[in-house]
């Protein structure tokens, strides 16, 4: 039979597919009895530890010190009988100075077949090359995990933001500076936790699934509990559960928690986010201001090493007492005219419309004033400022001011035009709270899907008696953005929510 093989035929495209090439290498290892995915490797040192320990080792000097290191290959250069491999562990990069004389020909051939992206372990002596590169000269090098997909050469810049967010695992490898943001995030959260504990607050855990939409005005995510055969809501805020603990006798509690709001996404909003909520019995709004200042300073020290930071080119100073100003005072400063509850409703509507605000018929004086502030004043506040005296209409859980029942004992901390904290002198009058819940139900009936439900059990708890108290919520994600100089909330979330990926891009 004649040979009909076409020696000029094009090779299969699969040969040029880097993923298939690596799959073939994986299979070849398996066929040779070598596992490409080992169970364990006991290393002795991280790269950063060695870099610090041998900082004084002179160029060209070597040691007899044997170490075991492990990491991902991020660079590889083969020069005949010498191969230079750079591995990256959780702390830094380190060079492996691989010589055929040290590991033998067979092992060296396997080293040459390694790919960028593979995880390896290496045992050898520490030296510094004549060019000044601290290295480990392996006597043994082991493939720990075979990478089947090549790392991208270019994976940074605005054009690749969407891909970077989707594939954070690649972003962290290719852009190691990204991990600095998340290390700062962990330091910030740790510092906040320590500060609260040092102030005598107990960290507690409250339910993530709520039978009633409450704790804040927002649109919830709904889910179904099969065993109970009823719908639940992913928590909007833990507030009502934490205040139940004050009823039960706890005096200082806090929770660093995940909350969920079924709303839009933008630079400052993600449907799943992290907050701190803290409640303290026998204090009021001024006590919450002191707590807030302390928390922000502790977080700033942890992230920046001082009480100042730079956010998007703006120098911020957290060292002194934060400014305290009423909402009406700030509106007057910006608009140049007096705005107050003494004005008629139509006069307030006219002022708002003059500012380009679309006023809804259902809005009362308080809502109009709050909208004017949100639209025209909020963005003008740069340095930290406690904005106080919020209208009752937009503060259903805050205590009324004794001298003006149209206002509440509430503040928001604003920095660079963004809200970072929201605090109340907590409402502990069950009759007053009952009336406000009833108003929320009325608003829900009028079509407001963000209004709270009537929480009868919470009213019952208040009827047993809750001490005077202050409460605060602080947005952790936004605070991390501020202290790491990141303009988008997605930059400080390891895995932000994204629109569904096209199958073509997977």
């Amino acid at each position: 039979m004649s040979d009909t093989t076409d020696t000029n035929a094009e090779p299969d495209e699969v040969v040029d597919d880097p993923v298939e090439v690596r799959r073939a290498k994986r299979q070849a290892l398996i066929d040779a009895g070598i596992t490409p995915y080992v169970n364990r490797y006991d290393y002795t040192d991280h790269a950063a530890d060695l870099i610090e320990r041998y900082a004084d080792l002179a160029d060209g000097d070597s040691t007899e010190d044997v170490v075991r290191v492990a990491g991902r290959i991020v660079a590889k250069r083969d020069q005949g009988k010498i191969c230079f491999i750079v591995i990256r562990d959780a702390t830094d990069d380190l060079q492996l100075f691989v010589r055929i004389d040290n590991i033998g020909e067979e092992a060296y051939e396997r080293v040459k077949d390694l790919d960028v992206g593979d995880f390896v372990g290496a045992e050898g002596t520490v030296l510094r090359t004549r060019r000044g590169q601290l290295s480990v000269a392996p006597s043994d090098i082991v493939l720990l995990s075979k990478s089947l997909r090549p790392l991208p050469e270019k994976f940074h810049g605005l054009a690749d933001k969407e891909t970077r967010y989707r594939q954070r695992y690649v972003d962290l490898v290719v852009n190691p500076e990204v991990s600095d943001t998340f290390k700062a995030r962990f330091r910030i959260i740790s510092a906040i936790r320590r500060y609260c504990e040092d102030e005598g607050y107990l960290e507690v855990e409250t339910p993530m699934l709520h039978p009633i939409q409450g704790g804040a005005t927002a649109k919830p995510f709904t889910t179904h509990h099969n065993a109970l055969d009823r719908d639940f809501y992913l928590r909007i805020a833990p507030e009502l559960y934490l205040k139940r603990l004050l009823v039960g006798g706890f005096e200082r509690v806090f929770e660093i928690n995940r909350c969920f709001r079924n709303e839009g996404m933008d630079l400052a909003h993600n449907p799943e986010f992290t907050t701190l909520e803290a409640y303290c019995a026998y204090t009021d709004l001024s006590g919450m201001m002191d707590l807030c200042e302390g928390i922000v300073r502790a977080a700033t020290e942890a992230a920046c090493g001082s009480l100042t930071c730079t956010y998007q080119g703006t120098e911020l100073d957290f060292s002194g007492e934060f400014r305290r100003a009423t909402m009406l005072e700030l509106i007057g400063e910006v608009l140049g005219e007096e705005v107050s509850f003494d004005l008629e409703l139509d006069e307030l509507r006219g002022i708002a419309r003059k500012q380009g605000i679309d006023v809804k018929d259902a809005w009362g004086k308080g809502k109009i004033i709050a909208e004017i502030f949100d639209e025209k004043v909020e963005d003008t506040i740069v340095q930290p400022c406690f904005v106080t005296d919020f209208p009752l209409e937009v503060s259903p859980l805050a205590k009324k001011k004794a001298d003006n029942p149209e206002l509440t004992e509430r503040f928001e901390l604003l920095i660079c035009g963004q809200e970072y904290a929201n605090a109340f002198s907590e409402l502990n009058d069950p009759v007053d709270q009952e009336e406000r819940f009833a108003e929320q139900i009325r608003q829900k009936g009028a079509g407001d899907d963000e209004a709270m439900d009537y929480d009868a059990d919470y009213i019952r708890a208040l009827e047993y008696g809750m001490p005077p108290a202050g409460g605060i919520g602080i947005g952790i994600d936004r605070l991390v953005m501020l202290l790491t100089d990141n303009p988008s909330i997605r930059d400080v979330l390891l895995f932000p929510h994204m629109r569904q990926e096209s199958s073509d891009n997977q």
Side-chain angles (χ1 to χ4, degrees):
M1 182 180 293
S2 62
D3 185 358
T4 58
T5 302
D6 183 0
T7 56
N8 295 318
E10 291 287 334
D12 291 340
E13 290 185 7
V14 72
V15 173
D16 296 326
D17 185 337
V19 174
E20 291 302 324
V21 170
R22 292 184 180 216
R23 283 179 175 270
K25 289 183 179 182
R26 168 190 172 276
Q27 189 59 50
L29 289 168
I30 293 172
D31 293 343
I34 301 172
T35 176
Y37 303 99
V38 305
N39 288 347
R40 175 175 177 146
Y41 188 83
D42 294 322
Y43 62 87
T44 61
D45 296 276
H46 278 120
D49 298 331
L50 296 177
I51 291 169
E52 180 179 2
R53 190 185 313 159
Y54 294 96
D56 295 331
L57 187 64
D59 294 354
D61 282 1
S62 59
T63 74
E64 298 299 318
D65 301 342
V66 177
V67 298
R68 288 166 63 90
V69 294
R72 183 194 291 274
I73 297 176
V74 293
K76 180 171 173 278
R77 182 163 48 95
D78 183 8
Q79 293 186 339
K81 295 184 178 182
I82 297 175
C83 185
F84 296 96
I85 295 175
V86 178
I87 63 170
R88 177 172 298 156
D89 64 19
T91 65
D92 212 324
D93 291 355
L94 181 69
Q95 179 171 275
L96 303 181
F97 182 29
V98 188
R99 292 177 283 200
I100 192 170
D101 293 344
N102 282 10
I103 65 172
E105 291 187 11
E106 184 177 346
Y108 190 75
E109 287 302 313
R110 289 198 297 269
V111 167
K112 290 169 61 178
D113 223 20
L114 293 172
D115 292 302
V116 170
D118 291 349
F119 280 89
V120 298
E123 179 176 345
T125 56
V126 178
L127 59 83
R128 190 177 295 280
T129 65
R130 288 193 294 272
R131 294 187 177 183
Q133 187 68 47
L134 185 71
S135 306
V136 171
S139 57
D140 181 54
I141 188 165
V142 181
L143 173 65
L144 303 179
S145 180
K146 183 65 187 171
S147 167
L148 299 185
R149 189 180 291 267
L151 294 170
E153 293 182 9
K154 295 182 179 179
F155 202 70
H156 54 81
L158 293 176
D160 290 323
K161 278 284 188 180
E162 290 287 315
T163 306
R164 288 176 59 187
Y165 295 145
R166 289 186 193 280
Q167 300 180 32
R168 182 69 81 188
Y169 41 88
V170 180
D171 191 23
L172 290 166
V173 175
V174 179
N175 302 307
E177 70 278 2
V178 171
S179 67
D180 293 340
T181 290
F182 296 102
K183 290 173 183 176
R185 180 188 178 104
F186 307 147
R187 291 197 303 272
I188 288 167
I189 293 174
S190 179
I192 291 172
R193 178 173 279 115
R194 285 196 306 272
Y195 183 85
C196 288
E197 290 173 345
D198 290 345
E199 291 295 309
Y201 286 78
L202 298 175
E203 184 170 11
V204 299
E205 296 173 317
T206 62
M208 302 278 282
L209 293 177
H210 289 189
I212 292 173
Q213 177 183 343
T217 53
K219 188 174 181 180
F221 287 93
T222 306
T223 188
H224 187 77
H225 193 299
N226 291 334
L228 296 176
D229 192 23
R230 63 175 295 185
D231 286 344
F232 279 77
Y233 304 99
L234 295 184
R235 74 172 165 206
I236 296 171
E239 177 169 340
L240 300 185
Y241 283 98
L242 291 170
K243 289 195 285 193
R244 282 174 169 91
L245 296 179
L246 299 186
V247 173
F250 286 93
E251 289 189 1
R252 298 187 176 202
V253 294
F254 78 98
E255 184 173 8
I256 296 175
N257 59 71
R258 306 304 289 272
C259 293
F260 307 85
R261 299 186 182 180
N262 197 358
E263 299 170 345
M265 298 186 297
D266 58 29
L267 292 178
H269 295 87
N270 193 66
E272 178 180 359
F273 57 98
T274 302
T275 65
L276 162 81
E277 289 214 13
Y279 293 84
C280 181
Y282 311 114
T283 191
D284 60 5
L285 210 60
S286 63
M288 290 298 100
M289 288 182 181
D290 294 340
L291 177 66
C292 185
E293 286 184 352
I295 286 172
V296 171
R297 290 192 184 108
T300 305
E301 284 271 17
C304 308
S306 70
L307 291 178
T308 62
C309 76
T310 301
Y311 181 70
Q312 303 297 291
T314 299
E315 294 286 337
L316 299 171
D317 185 358
F318 301 105
S319 60
E321 183 178 278
F322 300 173
R323 183 189 179 189
R324 306 177 183 196
T326 69
M327 180 180 286
L328 291 174
E329 177 185 349
L330 291 165
I331 290 174
E333 288 179 6
V334 173
L335 267 58
E337 62 178 308
E338 182 182 355
V339 174
S340 74
F341 280 90
D342 294 333
L343 298 176
E344 297 295 328
L345 182 59
D346 284 343
E347 291 180 280
L348 285 173
R349 286 173 174 165
I351 292 172
R353 287 175 176 140
K354 187 171 65 175
Q355 297 299 325
I357 297 170
D358 182 18
V359 180
K360 293 181 170 53
D361 293 339
W363 290 359
K365 291 183 180 181
K367 177 65 172 174
I368 293 172
I369 288 171
E371 286 293 323
I372 292 173
F373 178 81
D374 289 347
E375 294 294 326
K376 295 298 174 182
V377 181
E378 198 169 77
D379 287 346
T380 68
I381 298 172
V382 178
Q383 295 299 325
C385 177
F386 290 124
V387 181
T388 63
D389 291 5
F390 276 67
L392 174 65
E393 192 174 349
V394 295
S395 309
L397 297 172
K399 185 173 286 189
K400 295 175 185 175
K401 288 183 69 71
D403 58 350
N404 188 342
E406 293 177 301
L407 299 175
T408 60
E409 293 279 347
R410 175 185 175 188
F411 75 72
E412 285 186 358
L413 172 63
L414 294 184
I415 308 168
C416 290
Q418 285 282 355
E419 172 201 343
Y420 288 87
N422 188 17
F424 305 149
S425 288
E426 297 298 334
L427 177 61
N428 58 347
D429 180 345
V431 176
D432 190 352
Q433 183 65 79
E434 193 172 22
E435 292 171 354
R436 297 202 209 178
F437 276 160
E439 173 60 21
Q440 289 287 299
I441 293 299
R442 187 196 67 77
Q443 292 181 18
K444 185 179 285 289
D448 186 352
D449 58 2
E450 294 187 355
M452 287 185 276
D453 287 333
Y454 188 97
D455 191 336
D457 179 71
Y458 181 66
I459 296 297
R460 178 169 58 192
L462 290 184
E463 288 174 342
Y464 280 103
M466 187 182 93
I472 190 169
I474 297 177
I476 298 295
D477 304 317
R478 288 188 186 178
L479 187 59
V480 174
M481 288 170 58
L482 183 79
L483 299 179
T484 59
D485 195 17
N486 277 296
S488 170
I489 193 170
R490 293 181 177 184
D491 292 323
V492 301
L493 300 175
L494 281 169
F495 302 103
H497 290 283
M498 309 288 292
R499 298 188 185 279
Q500 186 171 349
E501 185 177 10
S502 167
S503 59
D504 295 338
N505 296 327
Q506 295 181 7

